[in-house]
Amino acid sequence: KPPIIVRDFAPALGLKPFKLISELMAMGVFASMNQTVEETVAVKVAEKFGFLLEIKHRGDAAAQQAKLAEKAKKKKDPNVDDPKDLVPRPPVVCILGHVDHGKTSLLDAIRKANVVAGEFGGITQHIGAYQVTRGERKITFLDTPGHAAFNKMRERGASVTDIAVLVIAADDGFMPQTDEALQHVQNAKVALIVAINKIDAKGANIDQIKGQMQQRGIASEDWGGETITVPVSAIKGDGIDDLLEMLALQADVLELKANPKAPASGIIIESQIDTGRGPLATVIVQRGTLRIGDAIVCGQHWAKVRAMFDDQGNNVKEAPPSTPVRVIGWSGAPDSGAEFKSSKNAREAENIAEEEEDRLRKLAAAQAAAPKESSIESLF
Ligand code: GTP
Ligand code: MG
């Protein structure tokens, strides 16, 4: 902060220094030739002589700015994507709804439509997620039993789902778990599409469902609301293509993007130990591209990716954003819903995983050592 010195300040105001000194004195400020004048005082004096004194710490500000820019440049955050690296990615869709309203049947129907439309695939395997291709577009479906995965991910604050399809049986209507699922979707701020299923069933009443939707503030588009609603029959296959089209449309609206160039990270969908192949985990890549040979860590487990497969059992060499793959090469089975991240190499991955294991072990030991409250029963 450059000081305002009487000797320099006086001529700037067109005054002799002694005149300035006496002016200051009149204001109760006693300053000699080589002393500094406070900013607020200087502004007042200047005003008295018809000047507007603006104090800009130009030197300081410019230097500070440069320093900040330098800093920002140096530690370019590797977790933040440069917008020019972002490219469109497929939506990740989950299917929710009340017991027996047809979630599994719908997932099967979508997968079957895809297999029929596409080439002869391998044997369908349940890996917890699959991807269908519709024209040029891909859509990823989470195929996990019940709401388990969705809830677990929400608990952890990680979110993998972009669009939720709420299945409501046309012959049954909203049920407790339908409302519960709707609540989850709204809390998670995930896009909603309603599939009114079982339209072939006796007693199916589409309008009744739409009325119930309106009562809940999620009126269907054709009822003047905003909720995309598709009547389907998972059993007969009616409306499945419409549903896929609406999902693709919704994905466009959401403008989903990711950086395929970044180191891969994503979410564990499910995992298990296979007697032949060791621990397996199905993951969805959210950012970056996962490749064979990559080292990844998830909690106390790590993997050097030995092989990857899709839900048809096909070998996959690389998995860009929104791709579900089953990964082989894990040290143990990672938790579903947990996040995985890339490491520089296997050694680093192993170290990070071991540190985490150590931390968890100590935590468990500390908890075990903590004095327990004895209950009345145990005293007897
Ligand atoms: P949970 O996993 O137990 O919660 O059930 P879910 O929602 O996965 O339902 P699921 O697909 O198992 O279907 C339940 C029953 O409804 C089965 O008997 C299906 O055959 C029947 N169902 C499913 N979709 C349709 C449909 O479009 N029309 C008719 N008529 N029946 C259907
Ligand atoms: Mg089911």
Side-chain angles (χ1 to χ4, degrees):
K1 208 154 88 178
I4 301 168
I5 298 164
V6 171
R7 187 204 299 279
D8 303 322
F9 189 39
L13 297 176
L15 301 173
K16 295 272 187 238
F18 77 86
K19 175 77 179 138
L20 177 58
I21 290 170
S22 65
E23 280 301 329
L24 289 169
M25 233 183 267
M27 291 168 70
V29 177
F30 299 93
S32 67
M33 203 62 160
N34 295 318
Q35 283 183 314
T36 56
V37 185
E38 273 182 27
E39 275 179 23
T40 48
V41 177
V43 170
K44 263 188 211 151
V45 184
E47 200 170 43
K48 193 165 178 190
F49 290 93
F51 292 97
L52 179 65
L53 180 64
E54 265 188 74
I55 297 163
K56 290 187 192 163
H57 302 291
R58 254 189 73 213
D60 293 8
Q64 213 149 10
Q65 201 82 40
K67 243 188 207 164
L68 282 176
E70 188 69 21
K71 246 188 190 168
K73 220 178 181 180
K74 256 191 204 154
K75 55 173 196 186
K76 187 173 172 263
D77 192 341
N79 295 313
V80 176
D81 291 311
D82 191 329
K84 73 177 194 309
D85 291 332
L86 296 176
V87 299
R89 64 168 177 85
V92 178
V93 180
C94 73
I95 296 189
L96 304 174
H98 192 70
V99 180
D100 275 356
H101 279 197
K103 301 176 292 290
T104 303
S105 304
L106 191 57
L107 276 162
D108 287 347
I110 292 166
R111 176 185 250 144
K112 216 182 290 166
N114 184 58
V115 173
V116 171
E119 293 172 40
F120 250 136
I123 300 158
T124 305
Q125 304 188 334
H126 175 86
I127 68 165
Y130 64 84
Q131 203 168 48
V132 305
T133 308
R134 191 178 183 282
E136 298 283 284
R137 312 288 303 270
K138 285 180 170 159
I139 304 172
T140 302
F141 286 90
L142 292 180
D143 178 14
T144 38
H147 307 178
F150 191 78
N151 287 346
K152 211 165 198 175
M153 282 168 214
R154 257 178 42 74
E155 265 168 37
R156 290 166 187 270
S159 155
V160 73
T161 311
D162 302 304
I163 307 173
V165 174
L166 185 61
V167 180
I168 309 167
D171 60 352
D172 206 18
F174 273 76
M175 294 304 249
Q177 280 179 41
T178 318
D179 281 312
E180 198 189 301
L182 177 61
Q183 200 61 56
H184 281 313
V185 171
Q186 288 173 333
N187 290 344
K189 296 192 173 71
V190 170
L192 170 72
I193 289 186
V194 168
I196 301 180
N197 189 32
K198 307 198 189 186
I199 53 170
D200 63 291
K202 218 179 113 213
N205 187 343
I206 295 175
D207 278 346
Q208 193 185 329
I209 311 295
K210 287 183 178 172
Q212 292 176 336
M213 286 171 64
Q214 192 171 43
Q215 284 167 14
R216 286 163 173 80
I218 54 159
S220 169
E221 273 188 320
D222 58 334
W223 277 44
E226 286 177 357
T227 311
I228 299 172
T229 309
V230 190
V232 298
S233 166
I235 292 294
K236 299 211 157 161
D238 298 339
I240 301 300
D241 206 50
D242 296 336
L243 179 61
L244 293 178
E245 190 180 329
M246 288 305 152
L247 285 168
L249 248 166
Q250 183 67 60
D252 281 343
V253 171
L254 294 173
E255 290 187 35
L256 305 169
K257 286 182 178 168
N259 175 8
K261 293 179 186 168
S265 59
I267 300 283
I268 309 294
I269 300 301
E270 59 176 49
S271 67
Q272 71 249 57
I273 311 269
D274 182 273
T275 37
R277 292 174 291 181
L280 309 174
T282 297
V283 309
I284 288 193
V285 176
Q286 292 186 298
R287 180 167 177 257
T289 300
L290 187 63
R291 296 186 174 87
I292 293 184
D294 282 359
I296 53 179
V297 193
C298 179
Q300 52 183 322
H301 302 296
W302 67 280
K304 184 164 166 74
V305 180
R306 195 148 26 99
M308 298 192 286
F309 300 98
D310 64 15
D311 69 295
Q312 307 285 309
N314 300 311
N315 263 293
V316 176
K317 286 211 178 74
E318 51 177 39
S322 293
T323 311
V325 277
R326 177 177 262 178
V327 173
I328 296 179
W330 288 93
S331 63
D335 290 343
S336 62
E339 210 181 4
F340 76 85
K341 279 196 156 71
S342 287
S343 283
K344 266 193 228 105
N345 50 45
R347 184 196 295 255
E348 189 188 272
E350 187 172 10
N351 283 342
I352 295 172
E354 269 172 8
E355 264 169 39
E356 179 63 9
E357 192 178 6
D358 219 48
R359 191 185 70 84
L360 292 175
R361 197 183 303 128
K362 281 183 186 142
L363 201 71
Q367 273 163 0
K372 291 190 188 79
E373 277 177 40
S374 46
S375 64
I376 299 283
E377 288 81 4
S378 74
L379 289 177
F380 283 98

